[in-house]
Amino acid sequence: MTIQVFGHKSPDTDSTGSPIAWAWYLTHKGTPAKPVLLGEPNTEAAFMLRHWGLEKPEIIQGVEAGAPVVIVDTNNPAELPADINKADIRAIIDHHKLVGGLETKGPIEITVRPLACTATLLADLMGDDLAAAPRGVKGAMLSCIVSDTLEFRSPTTTPHDKAVAEALARDLGVDLHALAAAMFEAKSDVSAFSDAELLRMDSKEYTVAGKELRVSVLETTAPKVVLDRKASLMDSMVGVAKEDGADQVLLFVVDIIREEATLLVPNALVKEMAEKSFGVTVTGDTVVLPGVMSRKKQIIPALTL
């Protein structure tokens, strides 16, 4: 039975490209596998697929009981199908902290490493077999690393992430900076999305001090485009939180060029959280957080009430 390889809901570039890469590798090694997605890829991920001539993987809503799956780029049940524990999880490959809650049918291979990107980890696991990968697969892996490291600006970036990306760029004969610029331009084009879609586009669920939070991040080279919509975005947070069973939506608009985040502050709860978490004084409906670019390393660990 063909193994389904997928990442988290609201798939970004890494959760779109890494399933493609790992499904290729498993098939190359004699185990039939196919990539699938748990939602529509974001604009940057869609650009990646077009740029490298890759077919968009099938979007699935759930998994069948007993179906063999490999999970990449997450280990959080909240980011996976509700019926994930009924599937036959064969492996987990990730670069996030362990959350707990996944149940397997037996012992499995679990690889979690402190790298900026799942694709970097996949390159290590593939070893010499990476040389046999098609150009599109290598391109997808390079794009994943560029995206997750914000072209090496993110504090999650390790020297190994950078080295793997540069090696892939040399192999492919591409200008890494030009690729990053095109990707970030695609990521910054959010004009076609509703407020609710923007709030869910790159978001993860967390519990902080008993509050259920949807922590959303929008990485962009044009933050003004998003911030010009701050009033309607803050209004929409109420409905999104209610629909998603959250107490509050937090939206961090990350300016890739200036290397800072702007947090929207719609109410007293977010004001208190911002001041306690980041040591700032909030005087309006936004607050700028210099140097904050990573949800995984700088936002989630800091959140408190």
Side-chain angles (χ1 to χ4, degrees):
M1 192 172 181
T2 300
I3 294 176
Q4 292 180 316
V5 185
F6 51 79
H8 53 71
K9 296 176 184 177
S10 302
D12 56 9
T13 300
D14 198 20
S15 263
T16 302
S18 285
I20 291 172
W22 197 245
W24 168 82
Y25 175 71
L26 290 176
T27 303
H28 175 71
K29 299 298 284 185
T31 301
K34 71 171 186 176
V36 295
L37 300 177
L38 301 183
E40 195 69 35
N42 69 16
T43 52
E44 185 187 71
F47 167 84
M48 174 196 70
L49 295 173
R50 294 192 303 271
H51 184 78
W52 297 108
L54 296 165
E55 182 178 348
K56 184 175 76 173
E58 175 189 0
I59 296 175
I60 63 171
Q61 303 303 317
V63 290
E64 296 181 7
V69 305
V70 170
I71 299 168
V72 299
D73 196 32
T74 186
N75 66 84
N76 186 348
E79 300 175 353
L80 294 165
D83 47 4
I84 187 61
N85 282 336
K86 295 180 181 179
D88 180 10
I89 302 172
R90 299 287 181 87
I92 299 170
I93 306 171
D94 193 16
H95 67 127
H96 296 92
K97 70 174 185 177
L98 290 174
V99 175
L102 290 178
E103 182 178 332
T104 64
K105 306 299 182 185
I108 67 168
E109 294 283 347
I110 298 178
T111 308
V112 180
R113 295 179 185 169
L115 296 166
C117 182
T118 306
T120 306
L121 204 167
L122 298 186
D124 292 346
L125 295 177
M126 290 179 185
D128 293 341
D129 286 303
L130 178 57
R135 180 177 177 82
V137 168
K138 293 178 181 177
M141 295 173 70
L142 172 60
S143 297
C144 291
I145 301 171
V146 169
S147 177
D148 268 13
T149 65
L150 296 176
E151 196 189 2
F152 317 131
R153 296 176 176 88
S154 172
T156 63
T157 306
T158 69
H160 188 53
D161 290 291
K162 191 170 188 288
V164 170
E166 290 175 341
L168 285 166
R170 286 194 301 271
D171 183 21
L172 293 165
V174 302
D175 182 322
L176 199 154
H177 179 69
L179 174 64
M183 288 173 56
F184 297 156
E185 181 180 355
K187 179 184 289 189
S188 300
D189 182 9
V190 298
S191 57
F193 294 93
S194 69
D195 293 338
E197 288 171 330
L198 285 182
L199 292 172
R200 293 187 175 106
M201 183 176 290
D202 184 359
S203 65
K204 296 179 183 290
E205 299 172 20
Y206 293 94
T207 302
V208 175
K211 296 292 185 181
E212 299 297 328
L213 304 177
R214 177 171 286 284
V215 183
S216 303
V217 172
L218 286 176
E219 298 163 340
T220 177
T221 56
K224 185 177 184 298
V225 174
V226 179
L227 294 174
D228 282 348
R229 296 170 59 175
K230 66 179 180 180
S232 60
L233 283 165
M234 289 190 290
D235 285 344
S236 298
M237 287 178 179
V238 178
V240 169
K242 184 176 181 180
E243 290 175 16
D244 295 356
D247 293 300
Q248 181 63 51
V249 177
L250 301 181
L251 177 60
F252 295 81
V253 181
V254 173
D255 186 331
I256 297 171
I257 304 302
R258 294 179 63 89
E259 300 187 16
E260 63 185 21
T262 299
L263 171 63
L264 272 60
V265 185
N267 54 41
L269 172 65
V270 179
K271 180 179 186 293
E272 180 184 1
M273 184 170 286
E275 293 183 337
K276 288 184 176 179
S277 301
F278 301 103
V280 294
T281 300
V282 179
T283 58
D285 57 8
T286 63
V287 61
V288 176
L289 307 172
V292 173
M293 301 184 73
S294 170
R295 174 172 46 206
K296 179 174 63 176
K297 192 167 186 176
Q298 296 171 300
I299 295 175
I300 296 303
L303 290 180
T304 189
L305 264 177

